[in-house]
Amino acid sequence: MFTYHLPTDPHTALKLLLNIAVALSVFSGTTHAATQGKLGHFSRAEIGVSLTIHPLIKVSGVQDIQLSAEQGEAIEGTTPVCVSGTYQGSYSIAARGGGGANDFILDSGEDTLSYAVTYSDSGGAVELQPSGSAGSRPLAENLNCTAGANAKLTVSVDGTESAAATPGIYNGTLTLVVSPQ
């Protein structure tokens, strides 16, 4: 049987009890409401301590996509993508274009072209929409993507879009947003 005698010094006893309370609350996995001390030869208060560690996620390995086509030709370009995190599970991905309502638009200053965005990984290929996200994508376990890309993003311009466009240089920005699920 183990017996421990509390220190007689009230400050030392209070410090010991607080350390025990913190240790118990951390290991119990539950939180308790704080209890206040009472007036006496010594007093004690119990304080619940709770810690939530949020998962981290990262998208990396992307490159700018350079497209070139004759007027009327369909064209597509790709970039490697690596999505990784500090947890095992899944994530959602969303794409936002530079047009109004986040539309996928390329702009020459005189004319615009719309384009489509497809995201492919081990969960298959999905066409991304400017107003939504694709959820439940499998997450890579390698935080720094040292194994290389685990997904691919494809941008495509339909032949009818390029046929109706004025020749010129069209630019746009595509933003990828990944979130843990």
Side-chain angles (χ1 to χ4, degrees):
M1 174 165 193
F2 177 78
T3 304
Y4 183 80
H5 298 281
L6 287 175
T8 55
D9 172 45
H11 294 291
T12 306
L14 180 59
K15 187 187 282 186
L16 176 64
L17 289 173
L18 284 174
N19 285 334
I20 292 170
V22 168
L24 289 175
S25 69
V26 168
F27 292 112
S28 70
T30 60
T31 58
H32 299 20
T35 59
Q36 306 305 312
K38 295 181 180 179
L39 186 62
H41 293 291
F42 72 92
S43 181
R44 76 173 198 184
E46 293 181 5
I47 303 163
V49 177
S50 175
L51 170 66
T52 302
I53 299 176
H54 298 280
L56 301 176
I57 191 165
K58 176 171 83 169
V59 60
S60 62
V62 297
Q63 301 168 357
D64 288 338
I65 299 173
Q66 301 293 324
L67 302 173
S68 179
E70 300 295 324
Q71 197 170 16
E73 288 183 339
I75 185 74
E76 70 177 34
T78 63
T79 181
V81 179
C82 186
V83 178
S84 57
T86 59
Y87 67 102
Q88 291 181 334
S90 60
Y91 66 96
S92 65
I93 185 163
R96 306 287 183 253
N102 295 317
D103 289 339
F104 303 141
I105 298 292
L106 298 172
D107 191 339
S108 71
E110 296 178 24
D111 204 359
T112 61
L113 286 168
S114 63
Y115 62 93
V117 178
T118 304
Y119 184 76
S120 306
D121 62 11
S122 64
V126 61
E127 186 171 340
L128 299 178
Q129 302 298 320
S131 59
S133 67
S136 297
R137 309 309 296 178
L139 183 65
E141 297 176 26
N142 183 356
L143 180 60
N144 294 315
C145 292
T146 54
N150 57 9
K152 175 176 73 170
L153 183 88
T154 303
V155 170
S156 55
V157 177
D158 187 83
T160 56
E161 280 285 322
S162 70
T166 306
I169 298 173
Y170 291 76
N171 293 299
T173 302
L174 179 65
T175 304
L176 295 180
V177 179
V178 294
S179 303
Q181 283 194 321

